[in-house]
Amino acid sequence: MAGERKQQILETLAKMLEAPKREKITTASLAAKLEVSEAALYRHFANKAQMFEGLISFIEETIFGLINKIGTEETDGLRQIQRTITMLLAFAEKNPGMTRVLIGDALVNEDEKLQVRINQLYDRIEVTLKQSLRIAETQSGSKGDAEAQANLIVCYIVGRWQQFAKSGFKRKPTEYVQQQVTTLINY
């Protein structure tokens, strides 16, 4: 029961983050949306930062679970990269509230440790892409700069997430993905 309530709080917070108007979400507004008291929220989370940590944990588990699945299913390095990019953009498209967390928009005026955690998530994505790029280099016999290219791809992904959020969730991150991925990773 407590786990269900915790999940409900996180889902409601994520839903509130989907509002195109970027109003500050307070524990009072979250409690009102859930039709509970603020004290009820604090029975499950010590503070709002812990709620955002819960969202970030969900994002990490989902994204890296899918990245690991791609790595297991796909041996071709270029296909790994294409699928990873597409998955990251599709995840944002399906989860607009989470996108605001991913770009740090929802974390402004919150505990700075949360933004550090998002930055670490970016770093982990970059390392994963670098590994796939090295596989692609080995498979194609060509040598590139995997580190620089992985960084460029992460910048592209974050840029697409930004564009999606800043457009009020109108510009879909997956728009043009097939054409753009080809330009990003031409081996």
Side-chain angles (χ1 to χ4, degrees):
M1 182 68 179
E4 287 176 27
R5 175 58 83 177
K6 217 173 180 176
Q7 185 66 29
Q8 184 184 28
I9 292 167
L10 293 177
E11 286 173 6
T12 302
L13 175 58
K15 203 76 177 146
M16 290 175 76
L17 288 168
E18 291 179 16
K21 292 174 99 185
R22 292 168 199 8
E23 294 175 21
K24 184 168 171 53
I25 296 173
T26 61
T27 51
S29 64
L30 179 59
K33 193 80 156 170
L34 286 161
E35 299 177 352
V36 299
S37 67
E38 281 186 79
L41 295 178
Y42 291 120
R43 279 195 282 279
H44 300 283
F45 297 97
N47 53 40
K48 195 164 56 161
Q50 272 193 359
M51 293 176 204
F52 279 111
E53 284 177 12
L55 289 180
I56 294 170
S57 290
F58 170 80
I59 291 167
E60 289 172 334
E61 288 168 22
T62 303
I63 284 175
F64 291 106
L66 291 169
I67 285 173
N68 290 339
K69 185 175 185 234
I70 290 167
T72 303
E73 293 174 354
E74 191 63 63
T75 56
D76 181 85
L78 289 180
R79 288 285 308 136
Q80 283 179 4
I81 298 161
Q82 290 168 333
R83 287 182 59 190
T84 300
I85 293 169
T86 303
M87 176 276 295
L88 290 167
L89 298 179
F91 175 84
E93 198 167 303
K94 288 180 193 145
N95 301 285
M98 302 290 188
T99 303
R100 290 197 49 219
V101 174
L102 280 166
I103 65 169
D105 192 30
L107 305 178
V108 173
N109 300 322
E110 300 297 337
D111 188 328
E112 58 192 51
K113 290 180 195 153
L114 297 169
Q115 185 59 56
V116 168
R117 193 151 163 206
I118 290 297
N119 294 346
Q120 290 170 340
L121 180 137
Y122 291 174
D123 292 343
R124 285 180 63 195
I125 291 170
E126 191 170 324
V127 165
T128 301
L129 291 166
K130 198 180 332 174
Q131 290 168 339
S132 295
L133 285 161
R134 290 205 170 110
I135 292 168
E137 286 175 357
T138 301
Q139 290 169 337
S140 70
S142 64
K143 186 78 173 127
D145 188 343
E147 200 164 322
Q149 195 166 6
N151 179 262
L152 174 65
I153 294 168
V154 169
C155 291
Y156 164 77
I157 292 164
V158 174
R160 295 299 301 191
W161 289 343
Q162 284 272 355
Q163 188 178 45
F164 180 51
K166 302 299 181 185
S167 72
F169 308 117
K170 289 178 181 59
R171 289 289 307 266
K172 302 294 182 207
T174 56
E175 178 184 33
Y176 309 120
V177 69
Q178 297 312 315
Q179 303 93 309
Q180 293 171 342
V181 165
T182 308
T183 304
L184 279 172
I185 54 169
N186 54 4
Y187 270 84

